[in-house]
Each structure stands twice: as C-alpha cells, then as structure tokens.
Amino acid sequence: MNNASQAVAPGVPDFPDTLGHPRPLWMLFMTEFWERFAIYSVSWALALYIVAQFYHGDPSGQAWASKIYGAYTALVYATGIFGGYIADKVIGYQRSILLGAVVMAIGLFTVMLPSRDAMLYGLSMVIVGDGLFKPNISSMVGQLYRPDDERRDRGFTLFYMGINAGAFAAPLVTGWMASYFTSTPLVENYRIVFGAAGAGMVLSFLWFWFGRRGLRGVGRPPQGAEGKQRVLWVIGGMALSVPIIYFVLAQIGAIGLQWLLGLLFIGVAVMLLGEAARQGRVQVQRVVAMLIIFAFNLLFWMFYFQLGTSFNFLAETMVDRKMFGGWSFPVGWFQSISPLAIIVLAPGVSIIWALLARRHKEPSIPRKFGLGLVFNGLGFLVLVYALARLIDPQGLIPFWPLAACYVLQTVGELCLSPIGLSMVTKLAPPKLVGLAMGGWFLSLAVGGNLSGLLAGHISGATGMTAASALDGFTFSFWLLAGAGVLLLLISPLINRLMHGVK
C-alpha cells in the first residue's frame, strides 16, 4: 500500500487540472484502485481457500497454505525490481502497465480452476504481471508534476488514498460475495473471490487503456524503443518467468526461497557498499544506516503479514463473530480494518508530526521505525491477553481484540511505511538509488516470506489451536517489542551514521 516512487520525466506536459491536480492523476487513481481491489481480494482469501479446497477444511493444511501465501507475497514485491527496470529501459511505463494487467487478469481467472497446479500457475502469472504493473503505475504519478510543483506531495497523498480505498473495498465486497452470493457453503465460494479479482483487473486495464491518451506521451517507450519487437521480447520473458515462479512455489518452497532472497539481499548490500566506498566515509556510513533500518523493516512486515494467514485462521475458528440479530461478521472483513484505519488516522499522524516539528521534537527516522515496531508488538499483546484471559466456554475470544490488533498495527505502519521510500532516496548513493529502492522492496519480500514460515510454525502439523496461537503471538510480541526498544536505544548511533539526513 506504499510503493510510490517519485520519478519525474523531463519535459512534463502542461496538463489541464481537475480538482486542482493534473487530470491524468484521477485516471491513475482508478487504475490503481482496481489493481489493489484485485490484490487484496486474493490476500484475504488465498490461505483460507487452500485449506478449504485442497484439504477439505482440515486444519492440517494451514501450514502449507501459510507458506504459499508468504512466498506469493514475497515474490510480488521481489519481481517489482525487474518490472521497474523493464519500464525504464525496454518498453516504457504505459506498455508495462498494460501487459502486467493482462497477465494478472489471466492469472486470477486461472486460480479459479479447482486444481493445485492451476492455482500455482495462476499465482505465478499474478506475480509476474504485478511485477510489471505495481512499481510503474506508482512511478507515473511523479511524472505528472514538475520537480518544483508544490502540489506534488498532495498528489501522492491522493494516490495513496486510492491504494487504500481499493484495499478497503476488496475484503468488504468479495467477503460478502464469498459468504452470501450463492446458497452454497462458504468453503465452496472462494473461487468467486478470484473471479471478482480478475474482473477488477479487467476494469483496471480498460481504465488505463482508454485513459492513457490523456497522458500526452508520459510513460511512452524510451527514445529508439518504440517498435513492437521489444514488446514481444518482454512477452517472451514473461512466458519464461511464469514456469520459473511456479517451480519456486511448487518445488523450492518457502525455505528455499528464503535462501534465495537472503543471497539476493546480501548481493544488493555489497553493491551499495561498494559504490558508497568510492564516494567516501560519509556515504558508506549512510548506506550502513540504511541497511540497519532495512533489517528492522523486514521484521515489521514479517509480523504485519500475519493478516493473510494466522489472523485469518484465528478469525475463522477462534473469534466470536456473532453480531446483532445472529448475523456473523465475515472473516474477510477484518482485513478492511487496516486500510480504513489508515484513511482515518493518517491525517492525524501527519498533524502530530508537524506539531512536533514546529517544536523541534519530531522523532528521527530510526525512532519512527522503532515506534512502528512497538505499536505492531502492542497489537500482538492484545491478542495474547485475549487468548490467555478471555476465552469463553466455546473456545472463542471476543471480536474486539483482533480488531484492536489491526488498528494498532496500522498505527505502527503509519510510523514506519510512509517515510521508507523517502529515506532511501536520501541515504542511497546517487548513482544507485534505483538499486537501493529495490533493496527496500526486497526487505518487504524477505519479511513476507518469513511471515508464511512463522504462520506455518504456529499452525503446526495439525492446525492452529488456542495454545499454539498464544505461544506464537507471545513470541511475536516479545520479538517486536524488543526490536523496537533496541532500535529506539541505538537511534542516536544511527542518526550519527546518517550525517544530518532527516
């Protein structure tokens, strides 16, 4: 929900305004809205679908479902590194977005097929397609504004709201569809969710296809690369990439993927430090500070991404979701809490930072990250309390602890996520900002894959129980709280390594 690069193309056209911003912003807003609708529909339903479809609802399937979800999440972020390069150097942003949308839609409709191999191939297509789509739609927002345009930050804020609006709507709409759209049991309706997600990507494609003329050339292929031959090269590359991703999901698995991501992360770190060493001690120390924050960032997302796995299993089996009139709160709707909290709380958090800045007391970057980890940990503490003290005779905890956990995690996200990309552009060697941005997304990928491994451990061989959830969430609280406190304590050291970067 926070991948907004701020690249600016030279020679920005003089766009007509709509509601005080360049008119194409609203086209990109809706294109991204439907892409996020698709992605977040998959996110809430995927692990639950795997258990229902391939294990007939047996909780023993939770561990494999969690690992597939974690690997899928990791690869969605990791492939964005290559998608950005293809748009920059090969076919341009517009063509990348259109190709990505088509492949994602095909993949989502393929996931609907009641076959494990079809599901994994479909997810592989979604991963490859979103790698072309997500980083490039975000980058195009920056290309609508001149570098000195004071509306620029507000434009990214509006686009960020589009991201969260899509994330908010997806679980509400598809969660309702999965529960009530037909008379069949819920476990047979998850395929409707993937169909709705595929339809969302079709709408995203159409919105961009008909709206791209208003871009007036922004995002077109690089000079000399206008021919269609390069598009065919990219299509061929995508066709080769899908079976490779399938092999990673089906054969290598989450543990093997963790080794691959770890080696890739080390490689990125070595390249950044090598370039920094050519620029002197100050740049080396800035890169070291950035890499330290990357390490804490992956910890945050390792636990935040439990929303698609262990939190879902908790909501499905151990949360009292009965509301007024006997109505049952759909499991998927819990995942609308976070984007709603972002929409509601983000202005307040921004105001707090501004007030503290006026008094010269605004927390530094590492302190904000430390606060983010602490708030994430507090969310788990609420669940620990509920599982230890509030379980009723039916083995259920109240509705409010899980909802409160989502809100506390969102407060943590607001402390950490919005400043991440800005931090990278300030601390990275000027010649390798793009590579450093890839390192940022790679830290999210590592965290996403670790989240699946953790959720699989919590579920174990027989599925999540109150005892295993209590143990897993207790571990999560202490690790997050300890990491947050540690980061707050070493913040003065990291600030010195940053050499004045705020």
Side-chain angles (χ1 to χ4, degrees):
M1 292 187 288
N2 48 10
N3 304 347
S5 171
Q6 297 193 13
V8 179
V12 178
D14 187 16
F15 294 111
D17 284 357
T18 298
L19 299 178
H21 285 271
R23 187 169 296 167
L25 174 68
W26 305 105
M27 182 273 290
L28 297 177
F29 177 103
M30 289 306 301
T31 303
E32 176 71 354
F33 173 93
W34 286 113
E35 184 268 346
R36 288 293 92 183
F37 178 91
I39 288 295
Y40 279 88
S41 295
V42 174
S43 293
W44 84 259
L46 179 59
L48 296 173
Y49 167 74
I50 290 172
V51 174
Q53 177 66 38
F54 304 117
Y55 292 86
H56 307 291
D58 191 320
S60 63
Q62 292 177 3
W64 188 73
S66 296
K67 291 173 184 177
I68 290 296
Y69 175 88
Y72 160 78
T73 302
L75 289 166
V76 164
Y77 281 105
T79 53
I81 301 171
F82 305 102
Y85 177 84
I86 289 170
D88 278 334
K89 304 296 183 182
V90 185
I91 61 172
Y93 293 90
Q94 292 190 25
R95 290 176 171 179
S96 296
I97 290 165
L98 292 169
L99 277 180
V102 169
V103 174
M104 286 180 69
I106 295 171
L108 289 164
F109 290 128
T110 303
V111 174
M112 295 177 67
L113 300 175
S115 157
R116 187 176 299 207
D117 282 341
M119 179 199 70
L120 294 177
Y121 268 111
L123 290 177
S124 300
M125 285 188 274
V126 173
I127 289 165
V128 171
D130 205 41
L132 271 179
F133 187 106
K134 179 59 182 160
N136 298 319
I137 188 79
S138 301
S139 294
M140 288 194 69
V141 175
Q143 299 177 33
L144 303 179
Y145 298 88
R146 292 182 174 85
D148 58 349
D149 193 330
E150 62 181 16
R151 302 172 300 168
R152 180 184 175 81
D153 287 346
R154 296 196 297 274
F156 272 100
T157 299
L158 289 168
F159 184 74
Y160 186 65
M161 298 305 285
I163 292 173
N164 285 286
F168 172 69
L172 289 180
V173 174
T174 58
W176 171 79
M177 292 173 70
S179 299
Y180 301 109
F181 196 70
T182 72
S183 59
T184 58
L186 173 63
V187 295
E188 298 177 16
N189 284 348
Y190 289 117
R191 286 191 294 277
I192 294 175
V193 176
F194 303 131
M201 281 314 305
V202 171
L203 287 172
S204 181
F205 171 86
L206 293 174
W207 212 287
F208 190 80
W209 175 266
F210 288 109
R212 75 192 195 283
R213 293 190 183 93
L215 291 167
R216 297 186 177 182
V218 169
R220 295 287 295 165
Q223 188 173 3
E226 296 88 352
K228 295 182 180 179
Q229 184 177 6
R230 291 194 174 205
V231 176
L232 296 177
W233 294 348
V234 173
I235 292 173
M238 296 172 79
L240 292 174
S241 299
V242 169
I244 294 172
I245 298 295
Y246 168 84
F247 179 76
V248 171
L249 291 174
Q251 301 297 327
I252 294 180
I255 294 176
L257 178 59
Q258 196 61 39
W259 282 102
L260 292 175
L261 293 173
L263 291 172
L264 186 57
F265 191 84
I266 291 171
V268 169
V270 169
M271 292 176 68
L272 290 171
L273 288 169
E275 175 62 27
R278 286 190 279 271
Q279 300 179 32
R281 181 180 62 87
V282 170
Q283 187 60 67
V284 169
Q285 292 183 355
R286 285 177 173 170
V287 169
V288 169
M290 182 175 64
L291 293 174
I292 292 172
I293 292 176
F294 280 1
F296 284 99
N297 184 59
L298 72 85
L299 270 181
F300 178 92
W301 295 104
M302 170 183 174
F303 295 100
Y304 184 93
F305 284 133
Q306 294 303 306
L307 56 82
T309 50
S310 62
F311 287 3
N312 260 348
F313 300 136
L314 184 77
E316 187 178 44
T317 60
M318 281 181 256
V319 174
D320 183 0
R321 295 181 284 112
K322 291 295 183 184
M323 299 291 165
F324 47 85
W327 173 69
S328 185
F329 189 88
V331 171
W333 285 17
F334 278 101
Q335 292 197 34
S336 286
I337 295 174
S338 290
L340 176 62
I342 288 176
I343 293 169
V344 172
L345 298 177
V349 172
S350 297
I351 291 171
I352 290 172
W353 296 147
L355 291 174
L356 290 173
R358 290 176 188 173
R359 300 179 182 181
H360 305 288
K361 294 183 179 180
E362 183 180 6
S364 62
I365 290 173
R367 285 195 174 96
K368 286 180 179 178
F369 270 73
L371 290 172
L373 288 162
V374 169
F375 274 108
N376 196 347
L378 290 176
F380 281 93
L381 182 61
V382 173
L383 293 179
V384 168
Y385 173 77
L387 289 165
R389 301 291 182 89
L390 302 179
I391 294 182
D392 66 15
Q394 288 73 43
L396 302 177
I397 64 172
F399 174 90
W400 68 263
L402 184 55
C405 175
Y406 275 104
V407 173
L408 287 167
Q409 284 192 320
T410 301
V411 174
E413 181 187 355
L414 289 170
C415 291
L416 173 149
S417 187
I419 63 170
L421 296 177
S422 176
M423 173 201 71
V424 170
T425 62
K426 296 173 183 176
L427 294 178
K431 292 183 179 180
L432 291 183
V433 173
L435 180 67
M437 201 69 75
W440 166 263
F441 291 128
L442 197 56
S443 71
L444 272 76
V446 173
N449 195 56
L450 285 172
S451 76
L453 290 170
L454 172 62
H457 175 75
I458 293 173
S459 290
T462 58
M464 178 187 287
T465 63
S468 70
L470 179 59
D471 288 345
F473 295 161
T474 300
F475 165 78
S476 302
F477 163 69
W478 284 113
L479 184 55
L480 279 167
V485 170
L486 174 62
L487 185 52
L488 289 171
L489 290 175
I490 66 174
S491 288
L493 170 62
I494 298 176
N495 286 331
R496 285 198 293 272
L497 292 174
M498 291 165 63
H499 290 277
V501 170
K502 302 295 184 182

